[in-house]
Amino acid sequence: MVRLQLSIKAELENVTELEPASKDFEYFFQVKCNSCNEVHPKYVSLNRVEEYEVSGGKGSKAHFVWRCGLCKRESSAKFESTPIKPYNSENAQFQPLLVIECRGLEFTDFDPRGIWKCVGTSGAPFNEVDLSEQEWNDYDEKAGLPTGISEFGSRWDRAL
């Protein structure tokens, strides 16, 4: 089992508290088989709500179960139960977003598509932040300031 930590970074303009908008947020990852090193050609999705039976796992479940198209080996991944910490970096530094336990696979990339949320400097909530283009812009009416997220990046590291 490998524990992988996904960290994100972004340039935040007049917003804080960037995080997925809901508990059932669909994360899109690129996956690689640890047995044959085949990288799946498409991004796969998983969320914290849905769980699937693991073959031969004696009743164990995972948030993602995948059979490699090349070597046919089954692998799985499960989110750790630690809560997601909203992203708040003032200087676009990487911060941990989540940790996933992986068995027989690794995630190699992250696509932030989906709906995120953040908070303007005035406290105004922005509940429909679309990061599919890896940037977002709006206007905080209360503060009278433009808001935005740009230079979104992510990386995978071994979790401690």
Side-chain angles (χ1 to χ4, degrees), residues 10-115:
E11 191 70 43
L12 303 180
E13 180 183 1
N14 299 316
V15 294
T16 60
E17 308 276 324
L18 177 64
E19 65 183 323
S22 65
K23 183 177 172 90
D24 64 348
F25 182 83
E26 287 291 322
Y27 295 89
F28 288 86
F29 303 132
Q30 187 166 53
V31 63
K32 178 180 95 169
C33 176
N34 283 350
S35 182
C36 68
N37 291 321
E38 178 74 7
V39 175
H40 192 283
K42 296 182 181 177
Y43 280 74
V44 298
S45 69
L46 57 150
N47 65 53
R48 290 177 171 264
V49 176
E50 297 174 16
E51 290 188 327
Y52 305 93
E53 293 284 332
V54 176
S55 297
K58 299 177 184 172
S60 64
K61 296 186 180 228
H63 294 107
F64 179 68
V65 178
W66 174 63
R67 185 170 303 279
C68 176
L70 186 63
C71 72
K72 309 298 183 208
R73 182 179 173 147
E74 184 179 281
S75 303
S76 63
K78 186 172 185 169
F79 288 97
E80 286 197 351
S81 60
T82 54
I84 290 177
K85 295 178 184 172
Y87 181 78
N88 278 315
S89 182
E90 300 246 341
N91 51 4
Q93 296 294 312
F94 279 104
Q95 287 183 316
L97 179 67
L98 54 85
V99 175
I100 299 180
E101 292 178 5
C102 299
R103 295 182 187 272
L105 62 83
E106 284 186 39
F107 294 114
T108 58
D109 198 13
F110 171 59
D111 184 341
R113 69 180 104 163
I115 304 301

Side-chain angles (χ1 to χ4, degrees), residues 3-7 96-100 155-159:
R3 293 176 63 239
L4 296 177
Q5 175 178 283
L6 174 64
S7 297
L97 179 67
L98 54 85
V99 175
I100 299 180
R155 74 173 186 211
W156 289 98
D157 296 302
R158 302 274 186 227

